[in-house]
């Protein structure tokens, strides 16, 4: 299973763009990269998923370089409500034995 | 909307008791997972199941067992609860077969205190 490495914490201010990078040097050919957001006392919720290049949805963008050994979650113009823990997961989401191992995540604090 | 429902939000049990945590999903998902989350340790996988009656150990299976008799239901069992099993337990489900771009859905969590 591909291991992921993320910064433990990040600080930002309201209105700024926040980029959280995840390293996954051992990513396999069939692996997808998925990011989740978790608020205190709640289960994680899906933010975005990608395989290569760039993916954008209504809440975030995901940038994946050609070698796929890292990925960057980009949150445009964060607000206080974006304060949460962000997890990067790597795995073959089409494989029924995909274990979905979470790392320690990145604790993002958005200040006024 | 996909729904993953955990039977109990808050439980207090005594050391040595047998504890059942139930999880039900309504989207016909093949895969179901049980995690525990402790402060500073993130989510740790206890067990997962990719089909009825199938189960595989996660990273921290010791002291736990699971049951998947029906596709929609995945139960976590603490045979003899201990204080170090005080934690928040999260159930999740997903459907991997043949579909890329799928996501995992979580329940609201069960806070277990063992005294």
């Amino acid at each position: 299973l591909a291991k992921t490495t993320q910064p433990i914490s990040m600080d930002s201010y309201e209105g700024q763009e926040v980029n959280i990078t995840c390293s996954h040097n051992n990513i396999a050919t069939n692996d997808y990269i998925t990011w989740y957001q978790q608020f205190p006392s709640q289960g994680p919720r899906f933010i975005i998923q990608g395989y290569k290049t760039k993916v954008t949805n209504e809440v975030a963008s995901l940038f994946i370089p050609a070698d796929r050994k890292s990925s960057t979650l980009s949150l445009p113009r964060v607000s206080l409500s974006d304060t949460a823990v962000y997890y990067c997961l790597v795995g073959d989401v089409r494989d029924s034995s995909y274990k979905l191992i979470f790392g320690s995540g990145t604790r993002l604090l958005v200040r006024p | 909307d996909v729904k993953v429902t955990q039977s109990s939000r808050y439980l207090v049990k005594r050391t040595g008791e047998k504890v059942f945590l139930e999880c039900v999903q309504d989207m016909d998902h093949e895969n179901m997972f049980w995690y525990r989350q402790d402060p500073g340790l993130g989510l740790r996988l206890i067990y997962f199941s990719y089909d009825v009656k199938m189960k595989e150990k996660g990273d921290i299976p010791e002291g736990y067992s699971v049951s998947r008799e029906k596709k929609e239901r995945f139960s976590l069992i603490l045979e003899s609860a201990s204080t170090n099993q005080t934690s928040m337990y999260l159930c999740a489900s997903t459907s991997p077969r043949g579909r890329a771009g799928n996501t995992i859905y979580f329940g609201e969590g069960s806070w277990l205190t063992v005294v």
Side-chain angles (χ1 to χ4, degrees):
Chain A
L1 290 171
K3 181 176 159 53
T4 60
T5 305
Q6 303 173 233
I8 293 173
S9 64
M10 294 181 70
D11 278 15
S12 182
Y13 290 93
E14 279 192 292
Q16 288 187 334
E17 178 184 76
V18 171
N19 296 310
I20 306 174
T21 296
C22 179
S23 297
H24 27 81
N25 291 318
N26 297 327
I27 190 168
T29 303
N30 292 333
D31 287 349
Y32 280 71
I33 300 154
T34 313
W35 285 81
Y36 289 85
Q37 175 191 54
Q38 186 181 24
F39 298 112
S41 303
Q42 295 184 23
R45 68 179 186 122
F46 173 87
I47 303 175
I48 197 165
Q49 185 178 79
Y51 184 80
K52 61 181 178 181
T53 62
K54 178 183 173 184
V55 179
T56 297
N57 62 21
E58 62 275 8
V59 298
S61 294
L62 178 59
F63 298 91
I64 305 168
D67 66 6
R68 304 202 325 124
K69 292 185 185 298
S70 67
S71 58
T72 299
L73 174 73
S74 181
L75 304 171
R77 295 180 298 282
V78 293
S79 63
L80 296 177
S81 62
D82 291 317
T83 293
V85 179
Y86 292 83
Y87 295 95
C88 159
L89 271 72
V90 173
D92 185 353
V93 298
R94 297 162 300 171
D95 180 353
S96 61
S97 66
Y98 174 38
K99 274 190 178 182
L100 282 166
I101 304 290
F102 284 77
S104 303
T106 298
R107 190 171 300 274
L108 173 65
L109 174 63
V110 180
R111 301 178 188 273
Chain B
D1 252 7
V2 173
K3 196 155 184 195
V4 178
T5 304
Q6 294 182 226
S7 57
S8 304
R9 190 90 166 104
Y10 300 98
L11 307 95
V12 180
K13 298 291 182 180
R14 294 192 182 280
T15 300
E17 273 193 78
K18 190 168 185 175
V19 181
F20 291 87
L21 298 178
E22 306 283 346
C23 176
V24 176
Q25 49 93 4
D26 64 1
M27 279 300 289
D28 202 35
H29 285 169
E30 292 86 0
N31 287 26
M32 296 187 74
F33 306 80
W34 274 106
Y35 295 88
R36 67 176 279 179
Q37 186 165 37
D38 302 288
L41 293 177
L43 285 115
R44 293 183 291 168
L45 181 63
I46 305 171
Y47 267 98
F48 78 105
S49 167
Y50 53 89
D51 203 348
V52 175
K53 296 194 188 294
M54 305 301 288
K55 61 185 179 187
E56 285 205 22
K57 294 179 180 179
D59 291 338
I60 51 162
E62 296 76 22
Y64 303 94
S65 62
V66 290
S67 172
R68 184 108 181 259
E69 296 297 317
K70 293 186 178 181
K71 193 175 185 181
E72 67 270 18
R73 187 180 296 271
F74 191 36
S75 303
L76 180 69
I77 304 156
L78 288 68
E79 294 289 342
S80 177
S82 63
T83 54
N84 63 13
Q85 291 178 310
T86 292
S87 186
M88 180 168 82
Y89 292 87
L90 281 159
C91 174
S93 74
T94 190
S95 182
R97 296 208 180 141
R99 292 204 293 275
N102 62 327
T103 65
I104 181 169
Y105 297 89
F106 283 85
E108 291 194 346
S110 297
W111 291 87
L112 171 66
T113 301
V114 183
V115 297

